[in-house]
Amino acid sequence: MKASALLCPTCYVEYVEVEFDFELDGVILQNVKGLRCPACEEVFTTEQYEAIRKRISV
Ligand SMILES: [Zn+2]
């Protein structure tokens, strides 16, 4: 069992780590790291979200 595995609480499917373009507050960030549930949507861990915030506030 992988320690880093996270399950989508809605689908009970393991998230896959992905990089994608993400828009926040009108700013498009490229190659943002996040987690994607194969069945619904992308989410961010707290760490990943912090990294996004840093890129925006520079
Ligand atoms: Zn899901």
Side-chain angles (χ1 to χ4, degrees):
M1 184 175 171
K2 283 181 287 179
S4 61
L6 288 170
L7 294 180
C8 173
T10 307
C11 314
Y12 301 103
V13 178
E14 196 173 309
Y15 284 123
V16 181
E17 204 170 328
V18 290
E19 287 189 16
F20 56 97
D21 295 349
F22 179 71
E23 185 181 336
L24 184 67
D25 296 337
V27 180
I28 295 174
L29 300 168
Q30 296 185 323
N31 303 322
V32 170
K33 285 197 173 94
L35 300 175
R36 174 174 290 155
C37 169
C40 60
E41 59 183 2
E42 291 93 12
V43 297
F44 298 109
T45 65
T46 308
E47 255 176 30
Q48 287 164 343
Y49 194 70
E50 284 294 312
I52 292 168
R53 302 283 307 180
K54 276 182 195 158
R55 284 173 65 170
I56 288 173
S57 62
V58 170

